Amino acid sequence: MSQHERTCITKKVTTPVEWVFRNAVVTPASETWLSGIDAVMVGGSGDFSVHDSRSRVWLDPLLKLIGETIQRNIPFLGICFGHQALATYFGSVVKSLPASAEIGTCQYDLTAEGATDPLFCRLPRRFQAQAGHSDSVMSTPDGMTLMVRNGTLETQAFRVQGRLAYSVQFHPDLTGAEARERYLAYKDELLSSGQDEPEKGAQQFILGSDTAGVLLDQFVKLARVHPAS
C-alpha cells in the first residue's frame, strides 16, 4: 500500500515537481531528509498509531523532523496519520475512539477561516471526501487554526498559524475508486476481524466523490510561490 499511496498522491498533482520518497518505518527520519526539499507531505500509516508505544522508535525522529520543517518555514501537508502527527507535535492528544472513527465517504464543512484560506477556498463550503481512521485528534492545538469540521469529529483539518503548513484527517489523495482498492487490499485482515463481506464494505466509498483531490495540487502551487525563510 505504500506504493499505492505514492501513486495516488502523484496523480493528483499536475504541477511539475520532483518527488523524493522516504519511509520513516524503514529508515528513521533525520534532518538530512530536508536537504534541498521545498515542501513536505506526510501521508497515511496503515498499521501504525501515534499513541502506540511500539511506534516510538521511528515516530520520535519523525516528530522531530516535522518540528524542524515548521521551524524552517518549509511548506507542509499532513494527511490522516500526518494530521495526527502534526497535532501530536503541537501538543494535542490522539485517541482511538469508536464514536469519532470514520470509514467511507463522509461529508465535511469548512469553517469561516477555511472558506477564506488559500488552500481550502478551492472547495465548496460543504464537500465530500474519503475517510478511514480509528484514531482521532481530541482538540485543536494551540498555534493552529481549525479549517474543517463535521458532525462526527470537530478536528478534521488545521493550519499552523503564520505558516504554509496544513493537515487533514480525511484523504484528498484518494478518489472513491482508489479508496475501495485500498480497503480491499486489507481483505484478509477484515475477514479475520469479523467483516464477512469486505466487498460490501468497500461500497461505503462513493464513486465520483472526489472533490477534495484538488487540495494536493493547490498545496504544491502555493508551495512553489512560498518565500524562502
Side-chain angles (χ1 to χ4, degrees):
M1 285 299 94
S2 176
Q3 183 58 53
H4 185 264
E5 181 177 42
R6 295 179 185 185
T7 300
C8 291
I9 289 175
T10 56
K11 283 170 61 177
K12 308 297 181 300
V13 177
T14 58
T15 302
V17 294
E18 179 182 349
W19 294 94
V20 177
F21 295 103
R22 308 287 191 188
N23 189 325
V25 179
V26 175
T27 305
S30 70
E31 290 183 18
T32 61
W33 283 14
L34 296 177
S35 177
I37 297 299
D38 299 308
V40 172
M41 292 185 187
V42 176
S45 67
D47 298 327
F48 301 100
S49 170
V50 298
H51 64 74
D52 190 328
S53 60
R54 293 170 295 180
S55 301
R56 302 311 309 187
V57 65
W58 58 268
L59 178 63
D60 287 345
L62 179 61
L63 292 176
K64 184 178 180 181
L65 177 70
I66 290 173
E68 188 68 22
T69 301
I70 302 302
Q71 292 167 24
R72 293 191 194 184
N73 202 17
I74 298 172
F76 177 89
L77 177 63
I79 300 171
C80 196
F81 175 86
H83 171 74
Q84 297 159 11
L86 183 66
T88 298
Y89 173 79
F90 273 85
S92 190
V93 174
V94 176
K95 293 183 179 180
S96 299
L97 295 177
S100 58
E102 296 173 297
I103 185 74
T105 303
C106 302
Q107 186 166 271
Y108 302 89
D109 295 300
L110 296 178
T111 63
E113 293 80 6
T116 59
D117 183 85
L119 178 63
F120 291 98
C121 69
R122 296 291 305 277
L123 298 175
R125 287 297 294 263
R126 178 163 288 180
F127 64 95
Q128 289 183 319
Q130 316 309 325
H133 68 97
S134 56
D135 287 352
S136 301
V137 179
M138 293 294 96
S139 62
T140 302
D142 292 340
M144 304 182 81
T145 300
L146 183 66
M147 299 277 106
V148 179
R149 58 163 61 97
N150 71 3
T152 302
L153 181 62
E154 178 77 6
T155 55
Q156 292 285 358
F158 306 131
R159 180 176 183 174
V160 178
Q161 295 168 7
R163 293 286 190 268
L164 190 70
Y166 299 90
S167 65
V168 297
Q169 180 60 74
F170 52 90
H171 280 273
D173 53 313
L174 293 176
T175 65
E178 290 164 344
R180 289 185 179 187
E181 290 174 8
R182 190 168 299 182
Y183 182 86
L184 290 173
Y186 296 95
K187 182 176 180 178
D188 290 343
E189 288 88 343
L190 292 167
L191 288 170
S192 65
S193 65
Q195 169 62 268
D196 294 331
E197 300 180 273
E199 290 79 8
K200 185 175 181 180
Q203 295 176 21
Q204 297 173 97
F205 299 98
I206 301 173
L207 300 181
S209 54
D210 309 329
T211 306
V214 301
L215 291 178
L216 296 185
D217 192 58
Q218 180 66 4
F219 169 73
V220 171
K221 288 178 178 176
L222 292 171
R224 284 172 68 92
V225 299
H226 182 71
S229 59

